[in-house]
Amino acid sequence: MKATVRFALIFLLLLALGFVAVACGDDDDDNDDNDAADDDETSDDDDDTGDDDDDTVDDDTLDDDTVDDDDDTPVPPTTAGFVYVPAGTFVMGSPAPENGHRPNEVQHEVTITRPFEMMATEVTQGRFRELMRYNPSRWPLLFFSNDELPVETISWYDALALANELSAELDYAPCYDLSDIVCADESPGNDNSWCKNNGGILSAEVALNGVSSVYECEGFRLPTEAEWEYAARAGTTTATSNGDVVEIACEKEDQALKDLAWYCANASSTTHEVGEKMPNEWGLKDMIGNVMEWTWDWYANDLGTAAVTDPIGPASGHFKVARGAAYRYYGAVRNRSAYRAAHDPGYRIYLVGARLVRTYSEPENEPQSFVPDNFTPAPAPAKAHRDYPDELPFEFTRPAAGTPLTPTEITEFTRKITGLWKDIDYMGWLQWTGHGMHSSTGYQPYKIFWQDTRAIKTGDTVEFEHYGGADNVMIRTPKVLMNTAALYLADGDEQAKYLTIQFANGITALVDGFLRTEDDPEPYIMGRGIFTHEHSYVEDGRNISIDYSPMRNRVYSWNAHTIPNEDNPVYGSIWLRTMRSKDDVPHIYRAVPMLMRLIEDAPDADVREAAATALDRLQGFAKDVVDSGYYIRTKDEWGNTFIPLNDDGTVKDLCSFVLYDVLAPNSECNAQLISALVGYDDPLRIDCGNGIGRLYETISTTTHYFNWAIIRYFHAAAITNALMAGQNDVALELMNGLATRVNEIMHDEQGPLEHAEWWADAAAYLVAAASGGLPLTDEEAQKVVEIYSFSVDHFAPWEYWDLWDESVPDGTYDYQPSRDGATGTAVRPEELAFILEYCWSPFRNPATAEFVDCDIVLDPTQWGY
């Protein structure tokens, strides 16, 4: 949604709903259940879990359930605020069937040979201030303070410095040697002040202090990733130390997490005092939830399946591992013992803190085994094959309205629209102007249907120069893909096949271009745009040159950033446009059923492969949206994922599907529903009813017309994705709402008066809705013919469909024709072929009013006749 909408919408909603005040800072769908667990389970003076006599752990913490015989195995003394963690062997990672399992959680046996002590809670703000002499934390807001909240907004280097300070306080040799320190403001730092007045430590050279392994350090340190997961599990093999996770996102509190973790379903978007939730069997609290915690290891996607002892991670890398999930943007399935995340070590965000450990000098006993009997690493199961429906699975009719088109009118319209495609060589135009990376470069080829691009003709060469961010290319590109794919599936057309592969690759490129390294912990983040390499090539006998150089400048706008990605593993050194906006997402999601059809029905293996790869990226993208609590994450130039925020700390509307739920529940329900359907193949209990959110839609579209497109296409996409997921009852109820929506579009008295593009947008939407099974009335069919006929008359005279034609002189030209004319507004150029998708669609309703001859539409040899 556009930026101008946000505050106007909130204000108007408050008036409409009669609210006097709304609590600040809560801008997501979190509930307000802030109650701690039962005092008997969480109190620090309860003999069952903590201590009240200067011991950090009492005899009951290590009981017969977790250690063979704690009466015969004395626990060594621990530092105040720490608990004892015995040596042992466990299974790191998660089994493929575990809810939320990710590919980077491959199971393998790990042995920790030395016992260690670990902070019972995350480092508090009070303790951090005592040791580091400053407090970088975001929470609590305004002028409040609370020393019992976990410290956050610290870098990995800050955490190392903290460990050294604690070692010095307690007379242990420090574990780390930090040199060449650079502060967050890029000023030089030192190991006395640790950049306390300069924003913390941005970078430093790090070495171990006189030892060859972190396990050998005398002083305090960060846990290795293996130690962290071992401690979090505390002998358990379930998703959490309190059982398996059933829920997915944030709407409903998970029973296993309810008493264990502060996360998006119960934290109300803020950190909480440490130690309020129940401990695991070893006395550790907040191991998941509240804030994430830095670990020592460099990140690697694949830790292998071989058994290892005292692992320390890769020798080098780009990201440092952070574990434990957090109070916000981390749905239930991210709050698991096996969940792995990572950030650049200089990164600081309000979601990440620390917890320190110290190795005991010598092993106290033989490592215990927490490995299930007969454990063997198992590969992820292959995705089950599904037969998608080949027709609308229910009858759906609407009351008659309007006068039917005559056979002559249908024939004339068919001849007119297909004649335009033939006369301007519409498919050829898409091929010549669509571009991205050509196969001759040696990189993965792709095409995108661009904006913010000009064409410069010089002799027999046309150069496409990119001068703007192209923020909404994923509104345009999926539209093109769906129609080239429809023609290919219907006719086997070779040009349509080539374009289908290339535009499917364009979707893939917008995800793969955001990979920071081959070992990227978040491989499904999608950007707005990708600017790869200048190159020239010959295609279809035409000399084409691509110039992205004007976009190689850092830009930090309110709604998007243009940044470099110097080490992309697919395309090398490139530039990106970040902060994927929800404006494009309904069209992205609307392409998902077509990709599924291509995988199922395409006769050519290369088409199936391109579609499968694009579908994988979109399913991963949707899953990330769900797992984040229905927010669209993005990345900075170091590859760190984050949720875009406004200056006041609230979430930007452009990346949220839940921002207004606190004022009008289910405001953007269709977007949430499709994210669940695409990401999880399940509605996840999201019930949008008929898909119309009356209050939200009325206010949001009053403040900005373009919001109609977002709302309408989410509704249409929800139906087709529900049908593909076999959710027929959901689709049927949404179809009833779509009929109401379309009827209101047709009979809105103010819309056409206030917006010149009203009827053009309505006509394109009618065709898209009919592709998903809505039967058009005769009145609507007449409107489609009227507007598309006008559009043909508008576009046909444009002289630059083929810029390479000798009749076109050298000069600079628009990338595509304008839809605006002296007598009205036409459909968009990429919508001219919507009728291909309509005619091919298996969901085309037999009850729809006829307006075009689909036999001719789907046979290019008959176009124009």
Side-chain angles (χ1 to χ4, degrees):
M1 187 177 295
K2 302 300 180 181
T4 55
V5 175
R6 185 175 175 278
F7 292 108
L9 180 56
I10 290 177
F11 176 74
L12 292 170
L13 280 171
L14 287 172
L15 292 177
L17 297 176
F19 285 116
V20 176
V22 177
C24 66
D26 187 10
D27 48 57
D28 64 8
D29 61 342
D30 302 341
N31 66 45
D32 292 325
D33 181 8
N34 294 328
D35 295 334
D38 184 83
D39 288 342
D40 289 339
E41 296 177 344
T42 60
S43 173
D44 283 338
D45 60 3
D46 183 347
D47 285 341
D48 290 339
T49 59
D51 90 343
D52 55 358
D53 55 9
D54 294 334
D55 288 15
T56 302
V57 180
D58 65 9
D59 289 340
D60 292 334
T61 303
L62 295 173
D63 62 18
D64 290 337
D65 294 331
T66 58
V67 177
D68 289 341
D69 186 353
D70 58 335
D71 294 328
D72 297 330
T73 309
V75 174
T78 56
T79 303
F82 285 67
V83 301
Y84 174 77
V85 178
T89 300
F90 77 112
V91 177
M92 188 173 180
S94 66
E98 183 172 290
N99 217 0
H101 167 84
R102 304 207 312 171
N104 66 357
E105 298 170 6
V106 175
Q107 288 188 298
H108 57 289
E109 285 190 30
V110 175
T111 298
I112 304 297
T113 62
R114 293 172 181 251
F116 56 94
E117 60 176 356
M118 183 178 232
M119 281 184 166
T121 68
E122 296 149 335
V123 179
T124 64
Q125 294 181 23
R127 193 68 176 114
F128 187 92
R129 185 188 297 107
E130 289 174 359
L131 292 167
M132 301 292 288
R133 302 174 298 285
Y134 76 103
N135 181 7
S137 302
R138 173 181 176 179
W139 301 104
L141 296 174
L142 302 176
F143 51 83
F144 299 102
S145 64
N146 186 338
D147 282 353
E148 295 307 308
L149 293 178
V151 71
E152 20 82 9
T153 320
I154 61 172
S155 71
W156 181 80
Y157 300 105
D158 296 331
L160 301 188
L162 172 71
N164 278 3
E165 287 295 315
L166 182 57
S167 296
E169 180 182 79
L170 298 180
D171 294 325
Y172 291 109
C175 186
Y176 310 114
D177 179 17
L178 276 67
S179 59
D180 297 331
I181 296 172
V182 177
C183 300
D185 63 0
E186 299 187 354
S187 64
N190 57 62
D191 58 5
N192 292 319
S193 67
W194 302 119
C195 298
K196 70 175 184 177
N197 297 319
N198 304 91
I201 305 173
L202 175 65
S203 66
E205 291 297 318
V206 177
L208 296 179
N209 181 30
V211 296
S212 60
S213 168
V214 289
Y215 293 103
E216 299 172 0
C217 288
E218 179 183 276
F220 294 94
R221 58 181 174 83
L222 290 177
T224 64
E225 183 181 11
E227 284 178 314
W228 187 97
E229 184 171 330
Y230 175 63
R233 290 188 176 281
T236 63
T237 58
T238 48
T240 77
S241 62
N242 195 39
D244 287 322
V245 172
V246 175
E247 301 300 326
I248 299 295
C250 306
E251 299 83 3
K252 182 178 175 61
E253 201 170 14
D254 185 83
Q255 289 303 304
L257 294 173
K258 181 178 180 180
D259 297 327
L260 189 68
W262 292 115
Y263 76 112
C264 64
N266 60 18
S268 296
S269 302
T270 185
T271 58
H272 290 255
E273 292 187 5
V274 301
E276 291 184 336
K277 291 293 186 178
M278 65 178 284
N280 68 16
E281 287 296 313
W282 291 346
L284 297 163
K285 300 179 180 180
D286 301 315
M287 286 298 287
I288 54 177
N290 224 7
V291 294
M292 300 189 77
E293 301 166 16
W294 287 112
T295 72
W296 167 250
D297 298 27
W298 291 109
Y299 175 83
N301 273 327
D302 186 4
L303 297 180
T305 58
V308 292
T309 298
D310 294 334
I312 57 172
S316 62
H318 178 82
F319 300 99
K320 286 290 185 178
V321 176
R323 286 299 210 110
Y327 63 93
R328 194 177 188 190
Y329 312 133
Y330 287 82
V333 293
R334 286 185 180 160
N335 283 264
R336 297 175 297 109
S337 298
Y339 178 77
R340 306 175 67 213
H343 292 292
D344 170 81
Y347 188 59
R348 48 179 49 82
I349 192 170
Y350 49 87
L351 302 170
V352 182
R355 183 190 305 254
L356 303 180
V357 301
R358 187 180 68 85
T359 310
Y360 283 93
S361 58
E362 296 294 338
E364 300 292 336
N365 48 57
E366 289 297 317
Q368 305 165 74
S369 176
F370 302 101
V371 179
D373 294 339
N374 302 318
F375 165 75
T376 54
K383 289 186 177 180
H385 175 77
R386 165 179 285 173
D387 291 324
Y388 297 113
D390 293 325
E391 61 183 1
L392 198 64
F394 46 73
E395 290 187 5
F396 189 86
T397 59
R398 298 169 65 197
T403 302
L405 290 158
T406 67
T408 299
E409 289 172 323
I410 293 172
T411 299
E412 289 177 352
F413 175 66
T414 303
R415 183 180 297 117
K416 188 165 192 171
I417 186 67
T418 62
L420 177 70
W421 299 341
K422 178 181 178 180
D423 292 344
I424 66 175
D425 195 353
Y426 184 77
M427 289 293 158
W429 177 69
L430 294 176
Q431 179 177 346
W432 313 324
T433 56
H435 61 272
M437 184 61 65
H438 192 261
S439 59
S440 61
T441 63
Y443 292 104
Q444 174 68 28
Y446 66 90
K447 285 184 183 292
I448 286 172
F449 195 71
W450 291 93
Q451 66 187 101
D452 297 342
T453 305
R454 61 174 63 94
I456 304 172
K457 182 177 183 180
T458 307
D460 64 354
T461 299
V462 174
E463 176 183 84
F464 293 108
E465 181 185 70
H466 291 255
Y467 61 84
D471 288 346
N472 297 122
V473 293
M474 281 295 115
I475 293 178
R476 296 158 173 81
T477 302
K479 292 179 181 179
V480 174
L481 168 64
M482 285 184 286
N483 290 287
T484 62
L487 181 59
Y488 162 71
L489 288 171
D491 184 69
D493 184 89
E494 282 297 317
Q495 188 176 45
K497 169 190 171 182
Y498 172 72
L499 291 173
T500 298
I501 292 173
Q502 295 300 310
F503 285 115
N505 287 348
I507 292 174
T508 300
L510 275 190
V511 177
D512 288 359
F514 270 67
L515 297 174
R516 189 58 177 76
T517 67
E518 289 186 0
D519 274 326
D520 194 313
E522 302 296 346
Y524 293 112
I525 306 299
M526 177 184 286
R528 284 181 178 265
I530 175 174
F531 307 102
T532 46
H533 304 283
E534 287 70 54
H535 62 292
S536 300
Y537 56 95
V538 178
E539 186 165 279
D540 199 22
R542 289 162 172 79
N543 294 320
I544 301 170
S545 181
I546 311 300
D547 183 12
Y548 296 119
S549 61
M551 295 309 302
R552 297 183 185 279
N553 298 284
R554 284 182 174 84
V555 176
Y556 296 97
S557 304
W558 73 269
N559 65 331
H561 300 163
T562 305
I563 60 172
N565 186 359
E566 297 177 354
D567 301 305
N568 179 255
V570 180
Y571 295 108
S573 179
I574 60 176
W575 285 70
L576 306 169
R577 188 76 165 162
T578 70
M579 294 166 63
R580 162 79 279 137
S581 167
K582 66 186 176 188
D583 297 25
D584 301 36
V585 176
H587 306 281
I588 294 169
Y589 283 164
R590 209 168 76 82
V592 167
M594 181 61 79
L595 293 171
M596 292 175 170
R597 296 287 185 188
L598 288 168
I599 295 169
E600 183 81 12
D601 299 331
D604 298 292
D606 51 352
V607 177
R608 295 194 299 271
E609 180 181 359
T613 303
L615 180 62
D616 171 76
R617 303 305 188 266
L618 294 188
Q619 288 174 331
F621 167 79
K623 187 173 185 292
D624 192 83
V625 169
V626 176
D627 294 353
S628 300
Y630 299 100
Y631 293 101
I632 305 171
R633 298 197 296 174
T634 191
K635 292 183 181 180
D636 64 17
E637 65 182 273
W638 297 276
N640 300 297
T641 53
F642 67 97
I643 304 289
L645 301 181
N646 297 296
D647 291 340
D648 63 0
T650 55
V651 175
K652 288 182 181 292
D653 177 23
L654 61 87
C655 70
S656 172
F657 295 144
V658 292
L659 185 60
Y660 303 107
D661 279 1
V662 66
L663 301 176
N666 292 334
S667 292
E668 298 176 81
C669 187
N670 291 331
Q672 298 173 41
L673 173 63
I674 314 173
S675 298
L677 290 170
V678 174
Y680 282 94
D681 198 36
D682 190 284
L684 301 181
R685 288 198 303 272
I686 297 172
D687 184 359
C688 298
N690 70 357
I692 297 177
R694 188 67 66 186
L695 176 61
Y696 167 78
E697 293 183 14
T698 300
I699 298 175
S700 66
T701 55
T702 299
T703 56
H704 202 294
Y705 168 76
F706 192 77
N707 290 328
W708 270 130
I710 301 173
I711 291 166
R712 290 169 178 171
Y713 278 96
F714 267 128
H715 195 156
I719 292 174
T720 52
N721 279 280
L723 290 170
M724 295 297 281
Q727 298 292 326
N728 297 338
D729 291 342
V730 173
L732 179 58
E733 191 168 7
L734 289 169
M735 191 76 78
N736 277 295
L738 185 62
T740 299
R741 185 182 298 285
V742 166
N743 188 60
E744 291 175 353
I745 292 172
M746 292 294 297
H747 299 97
D748 190 302
E749 296 181 358
Q750 290 300 313
L753 298 177
E754 297 173 357
H755 307 287
E757 60 269 62
W758 180 273
W759 286 121
D761 291 345
Y765 185 68
L766 287 170
V767 179
S771 300
L774 181 75
L776 299 183
T777 65
D778 292 312
E779 177 187 34
E780 292 157 3
Q782 290 273 7
K783 182 59 70 175
V784 169
V785 169
E786 173 194 340
I787 299 300
Y788 268 81
S789 295
F790 169 82
S791 300
V792 171
D793 294 338
H794 171 80
F795 287 121
W798 197 57
E799 300 176 299
Y800 310 120
W801 292 106
D802 186 353
L803 286 168
W804 292 263
D805 190 275
E806 293 180 356
S807 65
V808 179
D810 289 0
T812 300
Y813 300 93
D814 292 333
Y815 175 72
Q816 56 183 291
S818 171
R819 67 189 298 220
D820 298 319
T823 59
T825 302
V827 300
R828 293 173 175 82
E830 63 271 21
E831 296 168 348
L832 278 172
F834 267 19
I835 294 166
L836 284 168
E837 179 195 2
Y838 163 78
C839 282
W840 169 84
S841 174
F843 297 138
R844 181 157 54 99
N845 196 316
T848 195
E850 293 187 28
F851 66 90
V852 71
D853 187 333
C854 284
D855 290 337
I856 294 175
V857 165
L858 298 177
D859 181 1
T861 65
Q862 298 188 63
W863 287 0
Y865 296 103

